[in-house]
Amino acid sequence: HAETDANQAYAFYTPALSDQARERLQLEGELREALDADDQLALHYQPQLDLRSGRLIGLEALIRWQHPRLGWLSPGRFIPLAEGSGMMNALGIWVLREVCRQLARWDAAGVRAPVVAANLSASQFASPTLLADIDRILAESGAAPERLELELTESTSMRDPQSSIAIMTELGRRGLRIAIDDFGTGYSNLAYLKRFPVSRLKLDQAFVRDLVADADDRAIAHAVIAMAHQLRLEVVAEGVETEPQRALLAAADCDAIQGYLLSRPLAAQACARLLAGGAALP
Ligand code: C2E
Ligand code: MG
Ligand code: MG
Ligand code: MG
């Protein structure tokens, strides 16, 4: 009897699973081609605002894929594919190279860009060629390392904290800045956090979302900001969508904000207009 059930389950689920697997495989192949062809992937840039000066102090580069059939795909759709098929390191290298190329394009156009932050995946951070890759990209592009910030998630940085310190120190020696992304969602070992040569914590949007209604989230935001300042780190709040959220973060002495309240991530051209002063932030 059990065998019959198992067979039925097999017959029922197999076609659906293989459709999914086929689609996944196809997307994987297409992502590989997109990476080679270098004409479907793009970076969008989301502004970061300093809460005290009201100035634009940074841009976060966020990857997008203009798929020929499916239109614009967000990283949530294809980064897991890249992770699962060994493409993530190549994708991360493409991102760093494109950030440097974009800085050069803005320079050539006379557009003054602030520091640009790129997200570094766990596999890229663990890559034995990371430092050599970065050195090569910087040398090829001529970009000043001081114009780049690397975002590492809290979980990535805490996976092997001793080796994180060593790699972060090497990155810092080159003049690159480091931020801890999605702070508050992982498990931070505070003894290590204090030894990481990082300059900023990005307070995860999970704590920003209900800041107005949820006193606990407010308490967490205050505590993270106070602790960060004690450790001489700045805090950028992610996912700020409303004016009351901005006001609460300012009252909590948060340093900077990023989110839809200011701007969605912008294509390079639109971002250039913003940087040139053609469009104002609220
Ligand atoms: P993240 O690094 O934490 O980036 C912030 C995400 O929040 C972005 O989603 C951004 O569009 C979104 N966001 C910004 N402001 C708001 C807001 O006010 N409200 C809401 N609800 N969301 C907001 P996105 O672009 O879909 O990226 C998702 C994640 O994918 C990123 O999270 C990052 O972990 C990853 N990712 C994106 N680009 C790259 C990349 O080039 N390399 C790597 N390794 N990961 C990337
Ligand atoms: Mg990020
Ligand atoms: Mg984040
Ligand atoms: Mg996130």
Side-chain angles (χ1 to χ4, degrees):
H1 188 70
E3 213 175 276
T4 316
D5 280 348
N7 283 340
Q8 274 170 358
Y10 185 76
F12 185 76
Y13 283 113
T14 300
L17 277 180
S18 70
D19 273 1
Q20 237 179 27
R22 204 176 308 122
E23 190 185 298
R24 199 189 149 93
L25 218 60
Q26 178 170 357
L27 264 187
E28 244 175 59
E30 289 170 336
L31 182 57
R32 210 174 294 276
E33 285 165 23
L35 203 49
D36 286 339
D38 194 20
D39 59 352
Q40 292 173 20
L41 298 173
L43 295 179
H44 284 191
Y45 299 87
Q46 190 177 36
Q48 300 173 339
L49 189 83
D50 183 280
L51 279 174
R52 289 179 203 92
S53 69
R55 291 170 65 170
L56 203 155
I57 49 154
L59 296 169
E60 179 176 7
L62 295 156
I63 195 167
R64 303 287 182 260
W65 180 11
Q66 176 137 56
H67 189 280
R69 268 180 304 116
L70 305 171
W72 284 106
L73 298 184
S74 67
R77 282 287 298 278
F78 62 91
I79 281 196
L81 288 181
E83 290 279 11
S85 56
M87 270 186 279
M88 201 54 221
N89 199 39
L91 197 65
I93 288 173
W94 181 87
V95 169
L96 289 174
R97 190 172 284 140
E98 179 58 21
V99 165
C100 291
R101 285 192 295 213
Q102 189 57 61
L103 283 169
R105 282 183 216 118
W106 280 332
D107 285 351
V111 173
R112 283 174 65 96
V115 171
V116 179
N119 293 281
L120 221 59
S121 70
S123 47
Q124 198 177 7
F125 190 58
S127 162
T129 63
L130 174 71
L131 294 169
D133 291 337
I134 288 180
D135 287 342
R136 195 184 58 251
I137 291 166
L138 289 172
E140 278 170 10
S141 65
E146 290 74 19
R147 302 182 72 185
L148 294 182
E149 181 170 82
L150 302 176
E151 294 191 4
L152 290 165
T153 66
E154 185 181 26
S155 359
T156 297
S157 59
M158 290 295 167
R159 191 162 298 173
D160 178 356
Q162 285 290 3
S163 103
S164 292
I165 292 174
I167 298 164
M168 288 173 177
T169 302
E170 278 303 312
L171 294 169
R173 269 195 342 110
R174 286 159 170 78
L176 293 143
R177 295 206 321 202
I178 302 165
I180 304 293
D181 202 357
D182 301 348
F183 189 81
T185 60
Y187 298 92
S188 260
N189 179 327
L190 296 180
Y192 281 114
L193 183 64
K194 94 171 179 188
R195 295 176 54 200
F196 284 169
V198 304
S199 37
R200 311 206 288 172
L201 296 185
K202 298 191 76 178
L203 178 68
D204 194 78
Q205 51 189 57
F207 306 106
V208 174
R209 195 171 302 127
D210 299 324
L211 209 53
V212 176
D214 189 332
D216 292 341
D217 284 347
R218 251 181 345 262
I220 291 171
H222 273 270
V224 167
I225 293 164
M227 178 201 67
H229 287 170
Q230 289 294 321
L231 297 175
R232 292 170 304 281
L233 305 175
E234 293 186 351
V235 178
V236 187
E238 301 192 90
V240 180
E241 296 183 350
T242 69
E243 173 52 35
Q245 289 170 335
R246 187 205 63 79
L248 282 173
L249 288 160
D253 205 21
C254 186
D255 301 280
I257 58 169
Q258 179 182 340
Y260 297 165
L261 173 67
L262 305 171
S263 168
R264 301 219 162 221
L266 300 168
Q269 288 248 318
C271 193
R273 283 195 292 278
L274 180 81
L275 294 173
L281 291 172

